[in-house]
Amino acid sequence: MILPIIAYGDPVLKTKAREIPRDYPNLGEFIQNMFETMYQANGVGLAAPQVGRSLRLFVVDASPFDDEDPKLKDLKKVFINPVIVEKWGEEWLFNEGCLSFPDLREDIYRPSNIRIKYHDENFQLQEEEYDGISARIIQHEYDHVEGIVMVDRISPLKRRLIRNKLLNITKGKVHADYPMKFPLKKK
Ligand code: NI
């Protein structure tokens, strides 16, 4: 089932999400819906708060980037209750997009390397290291479960310059090819 994606301006995107218990009802179905929703929107990552559920879960599929790095083909995963335990390496700039911000892209600095602990879909604990684009995507999605969105990572000056653009996103005066919910859209 395709879920509507919540646009910037909704408090759920600014809320630190809660941990998912092992017996969370219909978790498998929710994960399936997350992937389906991400694919139909042509995204490479999607976090649960972006579909209105304040839970520590995100999905990624980096295969659209595999021409840049062949190992990205295998990065199709769900991260449950993730914790980034370490970040290191030089901060580098990448032009990021986000399904909650249609028509907006921003250059964001992030460290090159991370180590992350999480539970997989079978609630097995995993610990892995990532670099490059995969570390980039994972850090972006991890921010979502922490209640941080990409415009929180740009300078206050830059944020002021795009204030109207952001307001238009919140009001739904923006084009998206996928179902969305806009907090200030007039019915
Ligand atoms: Ni995002």
Side-chain angles (χ1 to χ4, degrees):
M1 188 173 69
I2 288 166
L3 309 166
I5 292 175
I6 310 292
Y8 173 72
D10 190 299
V12 73
L13 296 179
K14 302 289 275 179
T15 305
K16 191 172 165 151
R18 67 175 195 279
E19 290 221 343
I20 302 179
R22 196 179 277 260
D23 59 353
Y24 188 81
N26 304 320
L27 186 59
E29 191 188 331
F30 180 57
I31 292 167
Q32 253 182 16
N33 292 343
M34 289 285 292
F35 275 109
E36 205 179 319
T37 301
M38 177 179 75
Y39 289 132
Q40 60 91 34
N42 290 314
V44 294
L46 182 69
Q50 290 183 279
V51 296
R53 286 217 219 177
S54 194
L55 296 172
R56 302 185 73 80
L57 179 152
F58 59 83
V59 297
V60 300
D61 185 347
S63 50
F65 285 106
D66 67 1
D67 49 337
E68 291 179 48
D69 181 350
K71 71 174 185 281
L72 292 178
K73 214 171 16 226
D74 304 322
L75 185 61
K76 180 192 167 180
K77 276 184 185 169
V78 54
F79 294 79
I80 297 170
N81 298 334
V83 180
I84 292 183
V85 287
E86 205 181 338
K87 297 183 188 187
W88 71 98
E90 202 171 329
E91 299 222 336
W92 61 293
L93 209 54
F94 186 77
N95 194 244
E96 295 186 14
C98 178
L99 295 175
S100 295
F101 294 81
D103 291 346
L104 187 79
R105 300 198 70 90
E106 288 297 329
D107 288 331
I108 316 261
Y109 276 106
R110 296 187 193 272
S112 59
N113 293 67
I114 58 162
R115 189 161 77 243
I116 187 167
K117 279 186 187 172
Y118 64 97
H119 287 92
D120 63 19
E121 65 275 27
N122 303 313
F123 258 89
Q124 298 298 306
L125 189 63
Q126 307 285 341
E127 184 166 350
E128 292 162 347
E129 289 187 5
Y130 290 97
D131 60 13
I133 305 258
S134 47
R136 168 69 53 165
I137 297 168
I138 290 167
Q139 287 177 83
H140 177 113
E141 299 312 324
Y142 184 76
D143 270 357
H144 278 302
V145 300
E146 290 286 291
I148 297 167
V149 291
M150 65 176 190
V151 294
D152 296 330
R153 299 226 176 253
I154 63 176
S155 72
L157 173 66
K158 190 75 209 289
R159 211 160 39 237
R160 212 149 53 233
L161 290 172
I162 61 168
R163 214 180 59 169
N164 284 331
K165 247 185 177 173
L166 292 175
L167 192 58
N168 283 339
I169 290 172
T170 302
K171 287 178 173 171
K173 293 180 177 170
V174 74
H175 174 76
D177 291 328
Y178 43 88
M180 289 194 77
K181 264 190 196 159
F182 300 97
L184 291 182
K185 187 165 184 167
K186 299 225 165 66
K187 297 274 145 53

